[in-house]
Amino acid sequence: MKLTRKLLLFSIAFLIPELAFASTIIPQRDLTNHAVGYAAIVIFVLAYALVMAEEFTHLRKSKPVILAAGIIWAMIAVVYANEGLTHEVEQAVRHNFLEYTELMLFLLVAMTYINAMEERLVFDALRSWLVRRGFGFRKLFWMTGFLAFFISPIADNLTTALLMCAVVMAVGGDSVRFVGLACINIVVAANAGGAFSPFGDITTLMVWQKGIVEFWEFFALFIPSLVNFTVPAAIMHFAIPDEQPVASDEMINMKRGAKRIMFLFLLTITTAVGFHNFLHLPPVIGMLTGLSYLQFFGYFLKKTHYRYSSDIPFNDARSGDVIPFDVFNKVARAEWDTLLFFYGVVLCVGGLGFIGYLAVASEAMYVQWGPTTANVAIGLLSAIVDNIPVMFAVLTMQPDMSQGQWLLVTLTAGVGGSLLSIGSAAGVALMGQARGKYTFFGHLKWTPAIALGYVAGIWAHLWINDHMF
């Protein structure tokens, strides 16, 4: 399977330039048959092979792609310098870096808010509430699925999946069958939920920030995403043990300020949408403005810390009195390896695109195959290769497609990763969290049901949103 991932990644490496913009205003040399072109592909594939082997080598995934990015652009710069075209390469790199920076800062703000809510025990309180309810396995199967579906559009699908998995592990830890099926359901639901929201996945965020699909237009994918989740869930329902586990009496209360931080996060999202829709500013400006809301509120929590903690027991989770709130600790706890990995991928594939593989890929997929076939294939590919570089491929090729087709590729790239446990960050994380109960082959057994949901979701989109094509 790892070899398959590497081979398929090799086959799409040429699809992922970030310089469609540069191709129209910057003179470029066709290096696809040049030694530098071949070397760049080999370097990228080797770097991604190390990324795929992270669980065995324990080498952080950002390290090889950052190194590969520097080498690829250095080789390109040498060729262009020999021809006196150094300014063109500089412009191209700056354009790539600007695209990355906007997305990185947007994600950094979102991660900071999620970390703040986690530190205020928002997610732990939700988990304890679910565990105390004493739901049966089948009811809990559906509740965790729907919660994953509706939480992931706001929080990322990884955080959502880990939270729901903690619930099913706490309730049904001894039932391997229940935990395995519930984890599959959570992965499918979290990925489907992220597909109809600009904030639900990095791929949808990229499409929104590019201005291709407006904020409210994403919600046309709500029903197709719901179909994608509920079809396999309905099939798996009958395999869930019809048992009633013993309820837990665990009680976790949120810390002071938790609800206000949740409100500020929603206000931040509203600010980003308003800046983009009404002021025509990049959404990242609104998100960074929203970060200041949390910074000022964090200042308030810090200054009033001892006023509220002096009369409360040291270990009382409600007060948050062990350590005063510090917003910069939440920034530091962001997934920096993921953010830097994203940088490496963008710069690597931007370099491959600058070399000249874009026209070949665009002709093969969106002219010869047709947009519908190509977009369905993109989803299947994202089950094997990370959907971020795959979506970068589509965005930077800028194929001439209707709004319905852009929404289709957004849907397929988001939910296609559910077909395999290794197809999304949520699936990979749950294999570690529920080790031995949620496995690759356990997920693979239900891939036909998930594929049926994949096809049904696409059909629902083609039918319901027919006016967009």
Side-chain angles (χ1 to χ4, degrees):
M1 184 55 62
K2 295 293 184 184
L3 179 59
T4 304
R5 291 178 69 129
K6 298 171 191 173
L7 291 175
L8 282 173
L9 181 63
F10 181 91
S11 69
I12 67 154
F14 64 88
L15 297 178
I16 316 171
E18 174 53 13
L19 296 174
F21 166 85
S23 66
T24 59
I25 68 169
I26 299 176
Q28 299 182 47
R29 275 201 54 190
D30 182 1
L31 301 179
T32 54
N33 294 315
H34 192 282
V36 165
Y38 298 137
I41 291 177
V42 171
I43 290 169
F44 182 61
V45 171
L46 289 176
Y48 226 96
L50 289 173
V51 171
M52 296 297 104
E54 180 184 12
E55 61 181 297
F56 305 109
T57 63
H58 303 292
L59 178 71
R60 292 296 186 96
K61 60 181 177 292
S62 61
K63 297 178 181 179
V65 290
I66 290 176
L67 177 61
I71 295 173
I72 289 171
W73 277 105
M75 292 190 302
I76 294 172
V78 169
V79 174
Y80 273 69
N82 289 336
E83 300 183 7
L85 298 173
T86 53
H87 185 61
E88 285 75 7
V89 177
E90 180 186 358
Q91 277 188 295
V93 172
R94 287 185 184 277
H95 176 71
N96 276 259
F97 194 75
L98 177 61
E99 293 284 341
Y100 162 73
T101 302
E102 288 189 13
L103 286 166
M104 186 274 284
L105 290 174
F106 192 107
L107 291 169
L108 182 62
V109 175
M111 288 178 177
T112 301
Y113 266 102
I114 296 300
N115 288 338
M117 288 188 283
E118 185 178 23
E119 188 270 342
R120 295 285 100 177
L121 302 181
V122 171
F123 302 122
D124 287 340
L126 175 60
R127 175 180 57 81
S128 70
W129 181 85
L130 286 169
V131 171
R132 293 198 312 272
R133 296 283 76 81
F135 298 121
F137 281 156
R138 289 188 172 180
K139 190 169 185 178
L140 190 63
F141 172 84
W142 283 102
M143 287 197 66
T144 54
F146 274 109
L147 283 171
F149 182 80
F150 285 106
I151 293 174
S152 61
I154 301 174
D156 62 280
N157 59 359
L158 176 58
T159 299
T160 302
L162 290 172
L163 169 64
M164 292 299 107
C165 182
V167 173
V168 300
M169 289 287 289
V171 175
D174 295 332
S175 177
V176 175
R177 186 172 185 81
F178 166 70
V179 172
L181 289 170
C183 285
I184 296 171
N185 190 45
I186 289 167
V187 170
V188 175
N191 290 336
F196 71 87
S197 165
F199 300 91
D201 192 83
I202 294 178
T203 56
T204 57
L205 177 59
M206 289 190 292
V207 174
W208 180 45
Q209 290 213 133
K210 277 284 190 177
I212 295 173
V213 178
E214 294 300 322
F215 182 85
W216 299 110
E217 290 178 330
F218 283 96
F219 295 97
L221 293 176
F222 175 77
I223 293 178
S225 298
L226 186 63
V227 169
N228 177 270
F229 151 56
T230 54
V231 167
I235 297 172
M236 289 188 288
H237 167 86
F238 299 100
I240 298 292
D242 190 9
E243 300 174 9
Q244 184 78 27
V246 178
S248 169
D249 58 356
E250 180 187 27
M251 171 72 80
I252 296 178
N253 294 308
M254 294 186 291
K255 294 182 182 179
R256 184 171 67 95
K259 293 179 181 178
R260 282 171 283 182
I261 290 176
M262 287 189 280
F263 170 76
L264 290 177
F265 185 41
L266 293 176
L267 183 61
T268 296
I269 293 173
T270 303
T271 303
V273 174
F275 272 41
H276 183 64
N277 288 354
F278 304 114
L279 303 179
H280 308 291
L281 294 172
V284 65
I285 304 300
M287 287 296 285
L288 287 170
T289 303
L291 179 61
S292 70
Y293 307 159
L294 182 62
Q295 289 177 312
F296 275 104
F297 183 64
Y299 176 79
F300 166 77
L301 287 178
K302 191 172 183 178
K303 285 297 183 181
T304 59
H305 167 71
Y306 295 104
R307 183 191 311 169
Y308 285 88
S309 63
S310 57
D311 298 325
I312 299 177
F314 178 79
N315 62 349
D316 193 329
R318 291 173 296 178
S319 65
D321 61 346
V322 178
I323 300 176
F325 185 90
D326 186 349
V327 68
F328 290 105
N329 285 340
K330 314 306 176 285
V331 175
R333 289 180 53 240
E335 288 289 333
W336 285 101
D337 182 52
T338 298
L339 293 174
L340 292 174
F341 166 73
F342 191 22
Y343 159 81
V345 169
V346 169
L347 269 290
C348 279
V349 300
L352 293 174
F354 194 70
I355 285 170
Y357 292 108
L358 176 60
V360 177
S362 183
E363 171 70 22
M365 293 188 67
Y366 284 95
V367 176
Q368 296 180 15
W369 295 4
T372 300
T373 303
N375 290 334
V376 172
I378 288 293
L380 298 176
L381 198 57
S382 68
I384 304 168
V385 182
D386 192 276
N387 61 358
I388 294 174
V390 172
M391 181 56 82
F392 253 92
V394 180
L395 287 173
T396 56
M397 285 189 293
Q398 285 288 327
D400 184 16
M401 298 194 298
S402 64
Q403 201 72 348
Q405 290 290 354
W406 278 110
L407 286 172
L408 175 60
V409 73
T410 300
L411 174 68
T412 58
V415 304
S418 301
L419 292 167
L420 297 175
S421 63
I422 59 172
S424 66
V428 173
L430 263 58
M431 281 195 294
Q433 189 176 13
R435 190 179 302 277
K437 296 172 183 174
Y438 172 62
T439 64
F440 173 82
F441 289 105
H443 189 110
L444 187 65
K445 178 182 177 181
W446 292 96
T447 292
I450 299 169
L452 185 61
Y454 179 75
V455 172
I458 293 172
W459 176 83
H461 172 58
L462 295 175
W463 178 50
I464 295 171
N465 300 317
D466 177 65
H467 61 283
M468 294 184 176
F469 288 85

